[in-house]
Amino acid sequence: MRLGHFEALRPLCPACRARGQDRPLTLVAEAGTDSDITAGVLVCREGCGQAFPIIDGIPILMPDLAGWLASNLHLVQQSDIAGAAAEAVVGALAGPDSAFNIVRQQQSTYGHSHYGDLADGSARLDVPGGAVSLLHAGLGQGPLPPGPVLDIGCAVGGGVFGLCAITDGPVLGIDVNWPLLKIARHACDTGRVTFPFRQTGVHYDRRSGLLPGADRHRADVWVADALALPFASGTFGQVVSLNVLDCISDPVRMVSELARSLAPGGGYLVSTPFDWASHATPAHLWIADTDGVVKVLEQSGLGLFQIQEAQWKLRLHALSVMTYQVKIFTGAQA
């Protein structure tokens, strides 16, 4: 966790925030440097008393911390396998439906979407049809409104680094997916992106490349819940949510939290492929179409600038690419 991000964003207790109470968190650092905290806790001393851990440089700021840990602790504790050959053996023996290979599939798909195949040893943030291309389609090359920037559902972090290139302030990415965030955290710390790259079946190789530019020190990634953002109202000058709306349990509440976190005049970008699934979002909360999203945005106090459409391509393996027609909504705090 970047100390500068903690000081600039002044995170609130997510458990208290979920109850509508703003209680600051106190940092108790155990390991790190003058600028980065690798281990410690964030404590709600003025409210519920809960301590939230910082593990491998990633603070875990979930309202239901016990529930998140129950579902994810095995992923947090899972050691990286250092050698590609050893990883191949484990993947083959674990089988295609194992948690190990399900995680590798996600990392491969999102790694490629955010950074390309890294074939020449360098990350390319604006891959045609990739996640960051949606960002540029909606925001151009900046500049963004003044203030910190939040990327909701940042996954492996390509959008975070893409945003760093078009703003001068701190950029924070949040997600609840630990294996994806670990790739982003490694890139923040080292300037190098590394992820498994699926060919076919359970055959993967590894791709690794350098991030372009020198902006990574203004980037940070945290585990946090988009439905209870651990920040005071009006914290951010720009909030981005790439393809999260249709894979969250309460999309209207997410938009409401996005609007609350924006400073007056702050800008937003929300994109969605409308790929609803009942295991992620109860069917009665699905938003049917573009008009439905516009209504939700307006009811949350957000003004609409424009609606665009762009392709989002997700590489599943060497012989399969899934293509979505994504709607991109941009505007500002009304």
Side-chain angles (χ1 to χ4, degrees), residues 12-283:
L12 304 174
C13 172
C16 292
R17 178 89 279 286
R19 297 191 292 268
Q21 302 171 345
D22 288 358
R23 299 288 185 265
L25 290 172
T26 300
L27 172 63
V28 180
E30 295 179 326
T33 67
D34 290 342
S35 59
D36 292 280
I37 308 302
T38 57
V41 292
L42 295 163
V43 185
C44 180
R45 288 178 173 166
E46 298 180 17
C48 65
Q50 177 67 58
F52 299 89
I54 302 168
I55 302 175
D56 293 339
I58 302 176
I60 302 174
L61 298 179
M62 295 295 291
D64 180 12
L65 180 60
W68 187 90
L69 288 172
S71 299
N72 292 275
L73 189 57
H74 65 292
L75 297 173
V76 173
Q77 293 177 319
Q78 180 175 303
S79 298
D80 293 330
I81 299 174
E87 181 184 300
V89 171
V90 173
L93 295 178
D97 298 323
S98 64
F100 182 79
N101 279 315
I102 290 170
V103 164
R104 286 206 295 172
Q105 171 68 80
Q106 289 182 329
Q107 291 176 323
S108 173
T109 295
Y110 282 90
H112 179 266
S113 178
H114 284 236
Y115 302 109
D117 63 11
L118 307 186
D120 64 355
S122 63
R124 295 180 297 281
L125 296 178
D126 201 2
V127 180
V132 184
S133 69
L134 302 180
L135 183 73
H136 291 158
L139 299 177
Q141 298 301 316
L144 301 181
V149 179
L150 178 65
D151 183 358
I152 296 174
C154 69
V156 293
V160 175
F161 302 115
L163 288 162
C164 283
I166 57 174
T167 188
D168 294 328
V171 180
L172 176 68
I174 64 168
D175 209 300
V176 297
N177 188 308
W178 181 267
L180 298 185
L181 271 187
K182 282 285 288 181
I183 292 174
R185 176 80 263 161
H186 180 76
C188 283
D189 292 340
T190 67
R192 176 171 289 276
V193 180
T194 302
F195 57 86
F197 193 64
R198 187 182 179 199
Q199 298 303 328
T200 56
V202 294
H203 173 57
Y204 290 73
D205 56 34
R206 285 188 180 183
R207 298 297 162 96
S208 183
L210 294 175
L211 285 174
D215 301 307
R216 64 181 176 87
H217 296 292
R218 292 191 290 105
D220 203 5
V221 292
W222 300 357
V223 171
D225 188 350
L227 303 183
L229 294 175
F231 308 105
S233 299
T235 294
F236 297 96
Q238 178 78 43
V239 178
V240 168
S241 173
L242 292 175
N243 306 334
V244 177
L245 194 71
D246 59 353
C247 55
I248 201 161
S249 62
D250 191 339
V252 173
R253 183 176 170 188
M254 189 204 82
V255 173
S256 177
E257 276 291 275
L258 182 157
R260 181 189 65 80
S261 71
L262 273 179
Y268 73 87
L269 181 153
V270 172
S271 69
T272 180
F274 293 96
D275 189 21
W276 300 99
S278 58
H279 64 80
T281 311

Side-chain angles (χ1 to χ4, degrees), residues 245 252 255 268 270 272 274 276 285-300 302 304 306-309 326-329:
L245 194 71
V252 173
V255 173
Y268 73 87
V270 172
T272 180
F274 293 96
W276 300 99
L285 295 180
W286 294 4
I287 303 172
D289 51 26
T290 297
D291 289 343
V293 174
V294 171
K295 182 178 179 180
V296 170
L297 294 170
E298 292 176 342
Q299 288 177 341
S300 297
L302 297 172
L304 185 67
Q306 61 182 349
I307 304 171
Q308 299 170 266
E309 187 172 288
V326 172
K327 294 289 187 180
I328 305 170
F329 304 83

